[in-house]
Amino acid sequence: MAGNSFGKLFNLTTYGESHGPALGGVIDGCPSGIKLDLDEIQNELNRRKPGQSAIVTQRKEPDTVKFHSGIFEGVTTGTSIGFVIENTNQKSHDYSHIKDSYRPSHADYTYDKKYGIRDYRGGGRSSARETACRVVAGAIAKQMLKDIEITAYVSGVGTMKLNTPYNEIDLTKVESNIVRCPDTEMAAKMEAYIKEVRGKGDTVGGIVSCVIKNVPVGLGEPVFDKLHAELGKAMLSINAVKGFEYGSGFHGSTMYGSDHNDAFNNDGSTKTNYSGGIQGGISNGMDIYFSVAFKPVATLIQKYETIDKSGNTVEMQGKGRHDPCVVPRAVPIVEAMAALVLADFHLINKLYN
């Protein structure tokens, strides 16, 4: 299987399956001399881990990261950073009923047809549990980019959407509720809705928005390595993501150029920011903001029809512990992937510019 690495200079390679003994990764290219707050890295994992609230999967995993190399006395040495996160709460028998059948809209069918074999326990390598490794690497990247602020939050669940512009939102409230929506009233409605959906054995999608502040001018490489293109790739590599838009996004296609153009101030900043902090694929110093759309989780705790390996129609009902809505736990994953992109371009700038 190819495609297990992300990044050019700041590079992460991950390994492991959902129900294997452990997940882990190797980070290459991290500079030496970065003093790390290991507790903060663990805190980022705690934001992603299962079982943290009543509206996420109840799989109980401590998700404790153990570093095996590349860090000495809390400081990066410049060598590869190896780490492992042990799986401690697998219930593989919950998946025995799908051994020979395919869940609709899941990776079961494509993995089986591509490789001729699949780990059906929790989805194996296709499981979102792999994203724990990304959060570890992203947490290190964040500390390398200490002056840059990356904040993601839930802006939509199902048909409910927080339409308030990000610069009118108090982003310090993101962690004040289990939905991770910074609007308290909307968060309560979203929480109630997710619980309602879960009670029906169904799932629902949502949107995670992200704001990146204090980005220097000049990150991003034309022509094929544009900053927004790499951010898009990073976000679309996250499990269940169906869409990515930055700046004015799809709404920008409905505007006149005379309204959409970001007029300059004398210092090079712009009066508006429809560009989303990126022009010509290069950061312009304004806030970068984007949204990521997540589909409903494919595994349903209700009866539905599907096919087995022989093409026969069979009835299936999901078992086990699954998220009714992924977006509350996806917030730190979105932040982590954004941090990996910026860390990579930061090093590219130092090398080539």
Side-chain angles (χ1 to χ4, degrees):
M1 176 186 284
N4 295 296
S5 297
F6 183 84
K8 293 181 173 64
L9 298 186
F10 193 100
N11 175 269
L12 167 68
T13 300
T14 71
Y15 67 86
E17 288 85 33
S18 176
H19 284 233
L23 302 162
V26 176
I27 303 168
D28 282 316
C30 184
S32 62
I34 299 173
K35 185 172 178 56
L36 296 177
D37 184 339
L38 300 181
D39 290 336
E40 183 56 32
I41 295 173
Q42 185 59 53
N43 182 59
E44 291 290 299
L45 272 173
N46 294 343
R47 296 171 66 211
R48 194 222 68 97
K49 74 178 182 179
Q52 62 183 272
S53 76
I55 60 171
V56 303
T57 172
Q58 293 307 293
R59 179 173 176 169
K60 300 295 183 182
E61 291 283 2
D63 277 3
T64 303
V65 61
K66 298 178 182 177
F67 290 101
H68 289 169
S69 65
I71 301 172
F72 179 68
E73 296 183 342
V75 179
T76 60
T77 63
T79 60
S80 58
I81 299 174
F83 63 89
V84 66
I85 303 167
E86 294 179 354
N87 291 325
T88 64
N89 191 224
Q90 310 98 312
K91 292 187 177 180
S92 300
H93 62 273
D94 285 343
Y95 297 90
S96 58
H97 66 296
I98 67 168
K99 180 180 179 181
D100 297 313
S101 301
Y102 305 124
R103 288 168 291 181
S105 293
H106 204 283
D108 296 340
Y109 177 82
T110 51
Y111 266 56
D112 206 11
K113 293 301 179 181
K114 180 176 177 66
Y115 300 107
I117 186 173
R118 69 182 173 101
D119 183 349
Y120 59 85
R121 305 166 304 165
R125 186 67 175 153
S126 70
S127 170
R129 182 143 180 74
E130 177 272 336
T131 60
C133 301
R134 308 180 189 209
V135 171
V136 173
I140 292 174
K142 278 185 177 181
Q143 294 189 39
M144 187 181 94
L145 304 166
K146 58 183 179 180
D147 295 326
I148 296 177
E149 298 177 14
I150 304 173
T151 307
Y153 61 94
V154 172
S155 59
V157 170
T159 59
M160 290 182 288
K161 189 173 181 181
L162 181 63
N163 292 312
T164 309
Y166 78 85
N167 50 9
E168 297 177 16
I169 296 174
D170 184 356
L171 295 177
T172 64
K173 293 184 177 180
V174 173
E175 295 295 322
S176 67
N177 57 77
I178 59 177
V179 182
R180 295 199 167 94
C181 174
D183 183 288
T184 305
E185 185 176 342
M186 179 62 77
K189 293 178 181 178
M190 290 176 173
E191 179 182 345
Y193 183 55
I194 294 172
K195 289 179 177 177
E196 178 186 339
V197 169
R198 178 177 216 154
K200 296 177 181 178
D202 215 330
T203 61
V204 67
I207 299 173
V208 174
S209 295
C210 186
V211 182
I212 311 177
K213 295 178 175 291
N214 304 325
V215 181
V217 179
L219 298 186
E221 298 293 322
V223 169
F224 297 113
D225 294 336
K226 292 181 171 68
L227 176 54
H228 60 272
E230 290 301 305
L231 284 171
K233 176 184 177 180
M235 299 308 143
L236 290 164
S237 75
I238 301 172
N239 308 59
V241 169
K242 301 296 285 185
F244 168 81
E245 64 175 1
Y246 76 101
S248 61
F250 285 92
H251 175 68
S253 67
T254 68
M255 300 173 67
Y256 290 115
S258 54
D259 295 324
H260 189 271
N261 286 348
D262 294 319
F264 284 106
N265 296 310
N266 290 336
D267 62 358
S269 63
T270 56
K271 300 180 187 300
T272 55
N273 190 19
Y274 293 115
S275 299
I278 304 170
Q279 293 173 331
I282 301 170
S283 61
N284 66 357
M286 301 295 288
D287 294 344
I288 295 173
Y289 63 97
F290 59 86
S291 292
V292 187
F294 289 79
K295 71 171 185 175
V297 172
T299 303
L300 307 179
I301 311 300
Q302 58 180 243
K303 292 182 179 179
Y304 51 90
E305 282 192 351
T306 188
I307 62 170
D308 62 17
K309 297 179 74 169
S310 300
N312 301 310
T313 300
V314 295
E315 187 178 77
M316 181 184 289
Q317 181 174 2
K319 299 178 182 179
R321 303 155 296 178
H322 305 279
D323 290 279
C325 181
V326 299
V327 290
R329 293 177 60 214
V331 166
I333 304 169
V334 168
E335 291 181 0
M337 292 308 296
L340 291 179
V341 171
L342 294 181
D344 208 24
F345 277 125
H346 169 74
L347 295 180
I348 290 171
N349 252 22
K350 292 182 70 174
L351 183 62
Y352 292 111
N353 298 309

